[in-house]
Amino acid sequence: MVVQLSESAKIGPVEGPVARFQRALLICASLWLAFHLVAAAGFIGSHTLRSVHVGGAILLTLAARPLTGRWRIIDACLAAATLIAVAYLVVESESIIMANWFSHPLPEKFLATILFAALMESIRRALGLAFVALICLFIAYAIWGNIIPGALGHRGLSVDRLLFSFYLGTQGVTAMLIGISAGVVALFLVFGEFLNAGGAGRTFINVALRLGGRIHGGAGLVAVIGSAFMGMISGSAVANVASTGVLTIPLMKRLGFSKNLSGSIEAVASTGGQFMPPVMGPGAFLMAELLGISYLDVASAALIPSTLFYIGLLLGVYLLAGSQGLQPVPENLMPSRRVAYAPWAMLSLILPVGLLVGMVVSHYTAQYAVLWALGATVILMMANAAFSDRSKPAKQRAGAFGRTMLEGLDLSARNIAYIGIIIAAAQLIVAVINLTGLGATMSQIIVTLGQENLILSLIVTMMVAIILGMGMPTPAAYAVAAAVLAPPLSRLGLETLPSHLFIYYFACLAAITPPVAAAIFAACAISGGKVIPTSGQALRLALPLFLVPFLFISDPVLLMDAELSRVILATTTGAAGVSALTVATIGFYRAPLYPAVRIGLGCSALLLLVPDWKSDIAGLLLSLALLALHLKWARRSAVAGGEEHAG
């Protein structure tokens, strides 16, 4: 992560050693970004790209959170060690690739040790001490596995072998996960940040206000729609909360939403953005590369499940708003149609994203498509600076464009470094899982459970994915969970893509699952609410959404893996089931529901979610009958209440 530039460094001439350091750091970060773009064009080998990617992420993370006082010497030593170790990987890349597996002389052991120390310190600063402790626990398991009894024990690995695997082997800093981070994820992060720097976030909120603001509880619906749009670009629940939450949460609170409810709505909506095509989150690109399929296949498969997610969430927010009598957004807070759908703002948003999606659909590689989309974004930003608001002097417009570009570079470098450290940390854990055979052991346990009860295996898989997601960011949680959980699901006869999407979905939902719910904490920091009540509200909204992965893994038709008629039918019944379960969970539909009606709607929802036409018909008829009966009772109660009031 790059040090956040001071205002003087961003806007005007820089003076003083701190400002000069910030400017030099921004230049280095820009060159590092340019290196990724050049590599995407095919001019740099993958081994060199991965080495420089990890090295740059370590250096930028160390610079972002420097030690103070006399401890600065440690930063200098770690930075020097990283440069030397990465330089060796780059210079000797061909010999390392072709080297004998047992070639591991003393200098390489030393370089591996100092690079490992620098990476661990970067992980501590970026992700916290708990993540370092988790990695150390896995390393201890790798070394002393021979003293562990039972199925989890293994013969133990030497320190030399671990160092070799980390530095020179295929399980370390040049492993496939690092390649995905450097070659695909980094480019999409740059694209997303430049798109947002060009005003995409404000455009999303304006459009969301026009779409949902006039409905009762419109501020909550605006938060859901805006966060869904923004989540496509940011790909991170916490980043999404931080970017859109500063706009949506104050609006919700102003219009009567409680602190806890406003924070929970924003957290759940931001979490779903990681699963929402066309851009999704970094984990989606990991999935495409791990499965050896195109990103288009992943995005297509995620389209209907993510749509069901937001159908359930929008309905839940609407019902909660109705139960509390929350009103639409006032007209004075609504942007005009001219502002919300300003041609230039819409063009700056639709053209780059449309170009990206169009090229992916046309079977261009994701890297090639995002390079063109990024180029279109920068050109549009330049044109906007040159031709918009001609009343301002050209120098002032150029200065505004320069600040926007600096902001995009700054945020891009920080986010790429952060994700790079996350993926490197995940790679260390995945390496231990592969080298020790822990993955095979866990696979056998899950397969054994699945032979008795497939649902039980899926529940165990869900719990492990959520637990991993509690302690790790989503990309890391998915990468580790996929290494352990995906193989046994395949052995149980489940298809590969649905299995990976199942794991990824729950790794995303970990952001709102107590006790460690990162998106909830981020939302509470803005709303001023309390974590436990906000988590409770979030789980109430998200409870129906936890069934969506079970729905698509039992019926892969929802991943658009069938003829269109079957896809439409499965989507319709799935939406009806999620809606019925949402009504049952919220307990309100124009009036509070009796407990018996809520239970009946829950049963009808389960019938609708079972992939069978007979259960679909039964569930639909039951839910319609219960809602009709509820509305009849509600009208009677309203009439009786009116008569009493009149009397």
Side-chain angles (χ1 to χ4, degrees):
M1 295 191 290
V2 173
V3 172
Q4 183 67 40
L5 296 176
S6 66
E7 288 303 312
S8 61
K10 285 185 175 182
I11 299 173
V14 292
E15 297 178 0
V18 174
R20 284 197 295 271
F21 170 74
Q22 291 175 331
R23 183 169 59 178
L25 193 58
L26 180 59
I27 292 173
C28 293
S30 301
L31 292 174
W32 186 59
L33 291 178
F35 181 85
H36 286 81
L37 298 177
V38 173
F43 297 108
I44 296 172
S46 62
H47 188 276
T48 298
L49 171 63
R50 297 173 186 185
S51 303
V52 173
H53 178 72
V54 171
I58 292 173
L59 292 173
L60 292 175
T61 302
L62 293 175
R65 300 174 181 266
L67 299 175
T68 58
R70 69 180 69 178
W71 300 108
R72 289 180 180 175
I73 187 65
I74 296 178
D75 282 351
C77 292
L78 290 174
T82 301
L83 286 171
I84 294 170
V86 170
Y88 180 83
L89 289 175
V90 172
V91 173
E92 299 294 330
S93 59
E94 289 191 18
S95 61
I96 290 172
I97 294 172
M98 302 301 296
N100 185 291
W101 194 92
F102 297 102
S103 175
H104 195 189
L106 184 60
E108 292 176 347
K109 293 181 184 179
F110 174 73
L111 293 175
T113 303
I114 60 176
L115 184 61
F116 178 78
L119 177 58
M120 291 293 280
E121 175 61 13
S122 299
I123 292 171
R124 184 191 70 81
R125 298 188 194 185
L127 305 177
L129 195 58
F131 211 122
V132 174
L134 179 64
I135 294 173
C136 290
L137 181 64
F138 272 89
I139 292 174
Y141 171 75
I143 296 174
W144 292 296
N146 58 322
I147 65 175
I148 298 176
L152 293 178
H154 61 93
R155 63 181 181 178
L157 300 174
S158 67
V159 175
D160 276 2
R161 180 171 179 183
L162 288 175
L163 287 174
F164 170 82
S165 297
F166 164 73
Y167 189 53
L168 302 176
T170 58
Q171 297 286 338
V173 293
T174 58
M176 182 176 63
L177 288 182
I178 306 297
I180 298 169
S181 175
V184 181
V185 175
L187 299 179
F188 276 86
L189 289 173
V190 175
F191 169 64
E193 289 301 339
F194 271 83
L195 195 64
N196 194 36
R202 182 71 259 181
T203 302
F204 284 143
I205 297 299
N206 286 337
V207 172
L209 281 165
R210 296 294 304 182
L211 292 176
R214 290 187 171 86
I215 304 173
H216 286 280
L221 301 180
V222 167
V224 174
I225 297 170
S227 297
F229 285 154
M230 196 60 204
M232 300 178 194
I233 305 302
S234 70
S236 166
V238 175
N240 199 354
V241 170
S243 59
T244 59
V246 295
L247 300 173
T248 60
I249 290 176
L251 177 64
M252 285 188 280
K253 290 170 61 179
R254 180 176 177 180
L255 297 179
F257 287 75
S258 68
K259 296 177 181 179
N260 299 326
L261 180 57
S262 59
S264 65
I265 291 172
E266 178 59 42
V268 178
S270 295
T271 297
Q274 299 177 96
F275 204 75
M276 188 72 181
V279 178
M280 304 176 66
F285 304 109
L286 291 174
M287 189 187 308
E289 295 294 326
L290 288 173
L291 297 181
I293 61 178
S294 72
Y295 171 71
L296 177 62
D297 293 333
V298 175
S300 299
L303 179 60
I304 294 175
S306 62
T307 302
L308 294 178
F309 180 101
Y310 280 106
I311 286 174
L313 181 56
L314 284 167
L315 180 59
V317 172
Y318 175 75
L319 295 175
L320 273 174
S323 69
Q324 299 180 19
L326 299 172
Q327 299 302 308
V329 178
E331 282 296 327
N332 65 312
L333 296 180
M334 295 279 289
S336 66
R337 184 179 288 104
R338 180 179 179 182
V339 171
Y341 302 117
W344 188 261
M346 298 305 295
L347 179 66
S348 298
L349 180 61
I350 293 173
L351 180 60
V353 175
L355 182 62
L356 171 66
V357 174
M359 294 187 72
V360 170
V361 169
S362 300
H363 301 290
Y364 288 95
T365 65
Q367 294 96 319
Y368 189 73
V370 78
L371 281 176
W372 277 91
L374 177 60
T377 302
V378 174
I379 291 172
L380 288 170
M381 290 169 64
M382 293 174 63
N384 185 46
F387 300 112
S388 68
D389 200 359
R390 301 297 293 272
S391 62
K392 295 181 179 179
K395 186 176 181 180
Q396 187 175 353
R397 283 180 278 137
F401 172 71
R403 288 191 295 272
T404 302
M405 291 295 293
L406 285 176
E407 180 184 356
L409 290 171
D410 177 34
L411 292 174
S412 297
R414 287 192 290 122
N415 287 336
I416 292 172
Y418 179 66
I419 294 296
I421 293 298
I422 289 173
I423 299 300
Q427 180 58 51
L428 293 176
I429 297 175
V430 171
V432 172
I433 290 171
N434 291 335
L435 292 171
T436 60
L438 178 61
T441 301
M442 293 296 296
S443 295
Q444 187 58 47
I445 293 172
I446 294 175
V447 168
T448 302
L449 289 173
Q451 290 173 345
E452 301 293 331
N453 190 324
L454 179 60
I455 294 297
L456 181 59
S457 283
L458 291 174
I459 291 174
V460 171
T461 300
M462 173 192 74
M463 294 174 62
V464 173
I466 289 176
I467 290 170
L468 288 172
M470 289 179 183
M472 307 179 190
T474 301
Y478 164 69
V480 175
V484 177
L485 303 174
L489 294 183
S490 297
R491 290 173 61 188
L492 289 172
L494 299 176
E495 298 179 27
T496 303
L497 180 55
S499 299
H500 278 257
L501 281 172
F502 183 91
I503 294 167
Y504 180 57
Y505 190 107
F506 283 114
C508 293
L509 285 182
I512 56 171
T513 306
V516 184
I520 297 294
F521 280 95
C524 287
I526 300 172
S527 69
K530 296 182 179 180
V531 172
I532 299 301
T534 302
S535 299
Q537 291 276 25
L539 289 179
R540 185 182 181 189
L541 283 169
L543 184 60
L545 312 180
F546 277 78
L547 290 183
V548 171
F550 292 93
L551 183 59
F552 68 68
I553 203 167
S554 63
D555 189 10
V557 171
L558 287 172
L559 305 183
M560 296 204 288
D561 186 20
E563 57 268 20
L564 183 59
S565 59
R566 292 184 60 199
V567 171
I568 294 174
L569 178 61
T571 303
T572 303
T573 56
V578 169
S579 300
L581 190 56
T582 300
V583 175
T585 303
I586 301 301
F588 182 90
Y589 180 68
R590 297 188 182 179
L593 272 68
Y594 289 109
V597 176
R598 296 179 68 177
I599 294 171
L601 279 175
C603 294
S604 70
L606 294 178
L607 289 172
L608 283 163
L609 296 176
V610 172
D612 180 78
W613 68 271
K614 296 177 183 178
S615 63
D616 289 340
I617 293 175
L620 184 61
L621 293 176
L622 178 59
S623 61
L624 291 175
L626 287 169
L627 287 175
L629 187 62
H630 161 71
L631 291 176
K632 182 178 179 180
W633 289 342
R635 282 194 296 269
R636 284 183 179 178
S637 299
V639 171
E643 291 176 352
E644 288 183 10
H645 182 72

